[in-house]
Amino acid sequence: MAGIGGKSGESASSAFAPIRAWLIAPTWLMIGFFLVVPVGTMLVYSFLTKEFRGGVIWEFSLAAYDRFIFDRGLFGDEPPKLELTYITIFARSIVQAAIATALCLIIGFPTAFYIATRPVSTRAIWLFLVTVPYWVNLLVRTVSMKFLVRESGPLNTFLQWTGVISEPLQIINTDFAVQLGLFYSYLPFMVLPIYASVERYDFALSEAAADLYAGKWTILRKVLLPTVKPGIIAGCILVFVPSLGAFLAPDLLGGAKNFMIGSLIEEQFKGNAGNWPFGAAASMILLSMVLIVLLFYARRQSVRAGA
Amino acid sequence: MALASRNIRKYPGFFSMTLLCMVLLYAPLAVVAAYSFNDSLSITRWGGFSFRWYLDVFFGLEADKFRDAAWNSLSIAFLAATASTIIATAASIGMVRGGEFRAKPASFALISLPLMVPEIVTAVATLIFFSAIGFVRGYATILVAHIVFCIPFAYLPIEARLRGIEGTFEEAAQDLYASRGQAFRFVLLPLMAPGIVAGYLLAFIISLDDFIITNFVKGAGIETLPTAIFGAVKQGIKPNILALSTLMLLISIGFVTISYFVSRKGVKPGGHGAPETT
Amino acid sequence: MESSKENLAVELQGVFKKYGDFVALKKIDLEIKDNEFFTLLGPSGCGKTTLLRVIAGFEEISEGTILLKGERIGDLPPNKRPINTVFQHYALFPHMTVEANVAFGMKMLGMSKAEVADRSRKMLEMVKLGDFAGRRPNQLSGGQQQRVALARAMAPGPQVLLLDEPLSALDLKLRHAMRVELKQLQMETGITFVFVTHDQEEALTMSDRIGVMDHGILQQVGTPHEIYEKPVNRFVADFIGETNIFDATISHVGDANCVCVLRNGSSVGCEAGSNPQVGAKCHLSIRPEGLEMSRANDEPRSLGGRVEQVVYLGTDTQYLIRIPSGELVTVRCQNTIADGVNYSTGDEVALKPRDGAARLLVD
């Protein structure tokens, strides 16, 4: 019963209770008015009719969502045919984001593990090295990657100079370039949570397993990985979610063939050629996908907490 | 068998992967930085070392454009970081020192909402919203959008710091005849300072970094550094872009270094595994 | 007890503290005298820290009255009470120097700069930390931090000093040294100390009086001698020191004494508590050093048993005796050279309480 009261510092934890509404109100107002309301407005727009010069006509329509699945011809009067263009873009986005996540995991896990097992004094330096690129402007990073891997870029020059290849590699404007770009954008998001969970991992567990005749890789698989799984899952979500809606990497590295959701949405709001309701609908679908992933994750978390 | 293979913390290949990771992270930046000193019109051929593209950034044909864009970027980052840090500091005190209340989980969800909504969705929603209420897009719309999505970035380090400050410090201050206001000013606020600085720097960098939201809500005739660079890169990478990118790289590294030292220097408040006592 | 209220420092009358349905403090009536070293002793969760925090003003009471030197302070916030606290983990402000920590309270009270500086220096000298004024708390050892906390709390000249388990974070040796210093400091300054601890040894060695608490109730208040020798109930007897508790029945009641019969039939005389009734079930507490041991004899009524364990403790030897009822009785004998009797495991022995060693307990 000791936890109920009388502990030192207890009264301080509610010292600001009388004015807490005033303290939190600015946040409520800012995010509520400039994010929640806009998302609501966007939802409304996705059910409106497109205006040809950008913008909308206030008339209810399901056309924006219909367009994802059916092709009704240029004037919308032909019998509906199944339309695969947009479904393909969404599917490609999911696949690209998943591959980028896998790349981050393959490189990020050993890195995080290696850093977490360094002496405390050098750990901070390694972590610093991993986080510095995250602080560098995302556009600058993506442009740098584009510069490095382009056809006559330093990478190809270097590889040709060493004689590894005779013809320049076509990396730019491929799926791989996009994956590389996404990997480069979000790698720290994978390393940091895994690092945090490996750092908390008690290596006595590994020793206990070794003592019970488990080999190194068995220990990794059966003891360490299950223990640090929450960190791995958090890392995967932190990479997957932003990758799904990424714009810069697909746009700068992927070229026109490798369209992802981000580029599709962006195109709908560019100049007069766009289709605002369609862009709003695509955004809603992307948002729903992300929320589903996050809800799934949150439910897992609460199940774990309850167990 | 070598001793290393018996060490339970060591796995073969993990170090190589770490090195690969570092190469992947730094090679593009290093290459761009190196080529920014290339004294050649072509970005492919190396023509010797020179500062000509840096001079070009500051005094060349596009210097005015870049200067305006830099001014917009920095002033927006300054204002957005200041506003969001103040808002987030207040919110963190309300959340951490406000006791238990029903709207607490909802408030936390709202604060982290900008982190959960994909940036491009935020961009679209904000654009549609400003257009729906007939607000002319420009500097103000960029600033408002930046303040909103900087709030969680400022909030998280401040809240983490505040959570680590034991309540006994404020109690001790009041026990020593400080009023609530004095306890806040002389004890809680100074102890929170490293978190506030870290939150401010993070918000500043995030605002400076943003491309997508800015690109959607900026309207015609106003550019920030990222939108200006993006526009230029669309025409193909030119050497002055490499120089400009390297400058931005240096600014970012400067910022991380500052925040690294701020977070290290901050005195550790409390942190005892306080035994249960009554 | 002399009823002159003038020399009372703190007075609590019918104090209740409730958290929802949970009653943390149950009708506390307590008088703490001026210049006294008073200790609140009890196990974890007994309400002693809550009581301290009630006096300090960190917790509002649900019912009752708190008086400081005869004036009601129940409604005053902590910063309006001339009472200071030494916190369990000291709560030294980490962003201030040692000197600034000590000066804090005096500054808040609006003392003049010169006075603050002068008194800070004196306080630091008093706790032998004159050379450490410019350091930060995290550059000090645990013991030094403890002294700074003391100096800081005493600097504003409080009428009462509250100490919340201040020695618990120190290692054993330092703890023993600090006990002596704390006691000296209290006697030199004449400030009333209210000290909270769960360590009975600490309480017994330092206090003028002790209040033993359990389940939010003040079980007994008295001098260390009274608490140890004359515990009023089973909890106090059990919590303070080691004791053997026997089930018994009251067989005879005299003027000041009564006789109780143990389960094996042996009778023991003890001081009569409040209103004993012949035939009533009761408990007897006999301390391990209050039992005399001898070789088993044939006296049928004596308490006997077999030695089950012998533990050598240096000055004493402790024996665990299994009595026929199956219970273990602890006996402690001094290891004097003259008394050369030694018992070993398996020996049959007879036990007899020394005069006045048995204590009748009301539960």
Side-chain angles (χ1 to χ4, degrees):
Chain A
M1 289 306 226
I4 288 185
K7 272 175 82 175
S8 289
E10 197 92 337
S11 66
S13 72
S14 53
F16 290 88
I19 55 164
R20 70 181 166 222
W22 293 104
L23 291 169
I24 306 177
T27 306
W28 274 92
L29 283 177
M30 281 308 283
I31 299 181
F33 194 67
F34 292 109
L35 187 59
V36 178
V37 173
V39 169
T41 315
M42 184 178 78
L43 178 65
V44 173
Y45 264 52
S46 73
F47 290 106
L48 294 181
T49 307
K50 153 190 173 181
E51 226 260 72
F52 277 93
R53 282 167 39 242
V56 287
I57 300 166
W58 283 83
E59 215 170 88
F60 178 81
S61 158
L62 283 173
Y65 291 95
D66 183 85
R67 199 178 150 200
F68 271 98
I69 314 168
F70 300 115
D71 179 8
R72 294 178 195 268
L74 194 55
F75 302 101
D77 49 3
E78 288 169 33
K81 279 186 302 196
L82 192 62
E83 163 73 276
L84 285 175
T85 317
Y86 305 116
I87 297 174
T88 313
I89 290 175
F90 271 78
R92 182 188 300 127
S93 300
I94 293 173
V95 171
Q96 293 285 65
I99 294 175
T101 308
L103 269 177
C104 284
L105 183 61
I106 290 167
I107 303 219
F109 180 81
T111 306
F113 186 95
Y114 181 78
I115 295 173
T117 52
R118 289 308 87 205
V120 182
S121 51
T122 47
R123 249 181 242 171
I125 297 164
W126 281 105
L127 274 184
F128 181 71
L129 285 176
V130 169
T131 40
V132 165
Y134 168 69
W135 290 70
V136 175
N137 194 297
L138 179 61
L139 178 64
V140 169
R141 272 185 289 157
T142 312
V143 169
S144 304
M145 186 58 94
K146 185 183 172 88
F147 178 76
L148 179 69
V149 301
R150 73 193 202 287
E151 210 169 325
S152 54
L155 181 69
N156 274 323
T157 315
F158 176 73
L159 290 178
Q160 279 173 298
W161 176 73
T162 55
V164 179
I165 50 169
S166 51
E167 287 298 303
L169 286 175
Q170 175 65 44
I171 298 177
I172 200 82
N173 296 343
T174 63
D175 278 349
F176 178 66
V178 177
Q179 291 150 14
L180 200 62
L182 293 175
F183 160 84
Y184 192 37
S185 306
Y186 306 117
L187 178 65
F189 291 166
M190 181 66 84
V191 176
L192 295 179
I194 296 181
Y195 162 79
S197 55
V198 176
E199 202 220 353
R200 276 196 307 266
Y201 175 76
D202 180 2
F203 275 91
L205 292 178
S206 286
E207 281 162 5
D211 186 55
L212 296 165
Y213 317 111
K216 245 184 173 177
W217 296 99
T218 315
I219 294 171
L220 184 72
R221 228 175 50 240
K222 300 229 163 169
V223 182
L224 198 135
L225 281 182
T227 318
V228 301
K229 206 162 117 195
I232 296 177
I233 292 176
C236 288
I237 286 178
L238 286 177
V239 173
F240 183 80
V241 165
S243 295
L244 204 56
F247 169 73
L248 283 176
D251 192 78
L252 289 176
L253 295 163
K257 279 191 312 199
N258 306 84
F259 237 50
M260 279 174 61
I261 306 175
S263 313
L264 176 68
I265 293 173
E266 202 255 1
E267 207 171 47
Q268 307 311 318
F269 296 93
K270 221 163 51 181
N272 293 344
N275 180 338
W276 282 37
F278 184 65
S283 300
M284 278 317 297
I285 294 173
L286 173 62
L287 181 60
S288 319
M289 282 162 53
V290 167
L291 289 183
I292 286 168
V293 174
L294 293 177
L295 277 178
F296 174 75
Y297 176 66
R299 238 192 57 189
R300 233 190 94 90
Q301 290 286 89
S302 63
V303 168
R304 281 172 46 84
Chain B
M1 275 271 158
L3 191 68
S5 76
R6 297 230 311 273
N7 186 339
I8 239 97
R9 291 157 199 262
K10 274 195 182 146
Y11 282 86
F14 278 27
F15 177 60
S16 329
M17 285 301 237
T18 308
L19 282 187
L20 176 66
C21 180
M22 292 301 152
V23 169
L24 284 169
L25 284 178
Y26 286 95
L29 301 175
V31 165
V32 163
Y35 272 80
S36 70
F37 297 104
N38 185 5
D39 186 25
S40 160
L41 272 177
S42 147
I43 55 165
T44 313
R45 300 251 168 272
W46 178 258
F49 183 89
S50 104
F51 282 108
R52 66 181 284 196
W53 299 115
Y54 288 90
L55 293 172
D56 187 77
V57 166
F58 287 105
F59 307 108
L61 285 175
E62 295 177 298
D64 284 347
K65 188 177 95 183
F66 289 144
R67 194 175 330 109
D68 288 350
W71 169 248
N72 287 335
S73 269
L74 290 171
S75 62
I76 287 172
F78 170 75
L79 294 173
T82 307
S84 60
T85 304
I86 292 169
I87 293 171
T89 304
S92 70
I93 294 170
M95 293 287 281
V96 178
R97 291 289 201 262
E100 289 304 317
F101 54 101
R102 207 140 20 104
K104 203 171 183 176
S107 299
F108 185 74
L110 197 72
I111 291 168
S112 36
L113 196 64
L115 293 179
M116 295 194 280
V117 176
E119 242 186 298
I120 191 145
V121 176
T122 307
V124 167
T126 314
L127 165 67
I128 288 178
F129 173 73
F130 281 132
S131 137
I133 61 170
F135 204 91
V136 181
R137 284 183 276 155
Y139 192 92
T141 51
I142 303 176
L143 182 59
V144 167
H146 279 218
I147 292 172
V148 170
F149 80 84
C150 282
I151 289 174
F153 289 98
Y155 177 83
L156 291 176
I158 299 173
E159 194 240 39
R161 175 77 189 180
L162 182 54
R163 231 171 246 296
I165 300 172
E166 283 181 17
T168 32
F169 293 122
E170 289 143 273
E171 282 189 351
Q174 287 192 50
D175 188 64
L176 294 161
Y177 313 108
S179 66
R180 292 224 148 150
Q182 286 170 321
F184 176 72
R185 234 181 77 207
F186 296 125
V187 175
L188 190 60
L189 200 58
L191 287 176
M192 285 175 75
I196 295 176
V197 172
Y200 182 88
L201 290 176
L202 190 56
F204 193 96
I205 278 282
I206 291 293
S207 165
L208 210 56
D209 187 58
D210 178 71
F211 166 74
I212 299 175
I213 296 174
T214 312
N215 192 36
F216 270 71
V217 301
K218 73 183 173 63
I222 179 165
E223 300 282 355
T224 63
L225 273 179
T227 62
I229 293 179
F230 184 80
V233 168
K234 275 291 181 186
Q235 323 290 319
I237 301 174
K238 291 193 200 78
N240 60 350
I241 293 300
L242 300 184
L244 188 54
S245 296
T246 307
L247 286 172
M248 291 182 72
L249 180 73
L250 285 177
I251 292 174
S252 305
I253 289 175
F255 262 85
V256 210
T257 315
I258 294 172
S259 82
Y260 179 77
F261 283 110
V262 166
S263 64
R264 301 220 96 194
K265 192 176 162 272
V267 271
K268 213 177 171 226
H272 308 279
E276 193 85 327
T277 50
T278 298
Chain C
M1 211 167 270
E2 60 275 280
S3 59
S4 84
K5 298 247 165 184
E6 257 114 75
N7 59 5
L8 286 186
V10 182
E11 200 178 341
L12 292 106
Q13 297 165 348
V15 169
F16 278 81
K17 173 70 193 172
K18 293 168 188 158
Y19 298 100
D21 289 338
F22 176 70
V23 185
L25 295 178
K26 222 174 273 176
K27 197 173 177 310
I28 303 285
D29 292 298
L30 177 62
E31 295 181 340
I32 298 171
K33 294 177 213 156
D34 222 357
N35 304 342
E36 169 170 60
F37 195 121
F38 187 88
T39 300
L40 286 166
L41 174 67
S44 202
C46 71
K48 58 189 190 294
T49 294
T50 307
L51 184 52
L52 197 76
R53 292 169 59 77
V54 157
I55 300 173
F58 299 129
E59 308 277 346
E60 276 177 49
I61 53 176
S62 316
E63 254 177 71
T65 316
I66 308 177
L67 302 169
L68 178 72
K69 298 261 161 101
E71 289 184 38
R72 284 166 178 268
I73 56 164
D75 295 329
L76 296 179
N79 55 326
K80 300 273 194 255
R81 302 187 187 191
I83 296 174
N84 291 137
T85 309
V86 176
F87 290 83
Q88 186 171 15
H89 295 293
Y90 323 135
L92 298 176
F93 305 128
H95 58 296
M96 297 181 193
T97 61
V98 164
E99 190 181 11
N101 263 283
V102 175
F104 190 88
M106 296 183 283
K107 266 190 197 158
M108 291 298 123
L109 281 177
M111 289 187 186
S112 76
K113 265 199 176 144
E115 201 181 349
V116 170
D118 184 51
R119 206 169 146 73
S120 303
R121 213 193 54 239
K122 279 193 186 134
M123 293 310 292
L124 281 173
E125 270 161 21
M126 183 184 77
V127 295
K128 299 172 196 125
L129 284 174
D131 299 337
F132 294 81
R135 299 251 189 124
R136 291 290 171 105
N138 61 0
Q139 296 170 310
L140 302 181
S141 72
Q144 290 168 332
Q145 291 184 19
Q146 155 88 77
R147 289 154 194 268
V148 177
L150 265 169
R152 182 177 75 172
M154 292 170 85
Q159 304 196 356
V160 175
L161 189 72
L162 308 176
L163 302 102
D164 186 4
E165 307 223 17
L167 306 182
S168 66
L170 304 177
D171 64 45
L172 190 69
K173 218 170 154 188
L174 205 54
R175 203 150 65 210
H176 284 181
M178 279 309 290
R179 280 185 197 166
V180 180
E181 269 188 58
L182 264 183
K183 181 76 189 169
Q184 269 175 356
L185 210 56
Q186 190 263 332
M187 293 199 292
E188 277 164 25
T189 57
I191 298 176
T192 309
F193 274 35
V194 181
F195 184 92
V196 158
T197 184
H198 63 268
D199 183 331
Q200 39 146 323
E201 201 185 309
E202 228 165 76
L204 292 174
T205 52
M206 297 164 75
S207 321
D208 294 322
R209 287 193 309 146
I210 300 173
V212 183
M213 285 192 74
D214 188 41
H215 287 105
I217 297 170
L218 205 50
Q219 306 281 347
Q220 184 173 3
V221 178
T223 62
H225 186 268
E226 282 167 349
I227 297 277
Y228 188 79
E229 300 290 343
K230 295 178 178 168
V232 293
N233 60 27
R234 192 170 172 164
F235 172 79
V236 177
D238 223 11
F239 189 73
I240 312 290
E242 254 186 297
T243 194
N244 299 296
I245 306 250
F246 296 95
D247 292 328
T249 312
I250 299 172
S251 68
H252 176 81
V253 178
D255 285 344
N257 292 302
C258 63
V259 177
C260 300
V261 178
L262 301 185
R263 280 206 297 211
N264 75 333
S266 58
S267 47
V268 178
C270 56
E271 204 177 309
S274 54
N275 198 19
Q277 300 285 320
V278 172
K281 298 261 180 233
C282 64
H283 290 288
L284 284 180
S285 155
I286 308 174
R287 302 274 180 202
E289 65 274 19
L291 281 166
E292 248 174 340
M293 201 157 73
S294 56
R295 294 273 170 214
N297 50 28
D298 297 331
E299 204 180 308
R301 288 283 178 91
S302 82
L303 185 57
R306 172 174 292 156
V307 177
E308 202 159 288
Q309 206 184 71
V310 182
V311 183
Y312 180 72
L313 297 172
T315 54
D316 301 291
T317 302
Q318 179 179 290
Y319 298 94
L320 289 182
I321 316 290
R322 180 80 66 186
I323 58 173
S325 66
E327 290 157 298
L328 277 176
V329 176
T330 311
V331 180
R332 199 170 296 149
C333 302
Q334 265 193 332
N335 294 330
T336 53
I337 306 157
D339 179 9
V341 193
N342 271 312
Y343 303 94
S344 39
T345 316
D347 288 357
E348 294 285 342
V349 292
L351 302 172
K352 195 173 138 237
R354 293 175 201 276
D355 285 344
R359 172 82 187 160
L360 183 66
L361 301 177
V362 286
D363 289 333

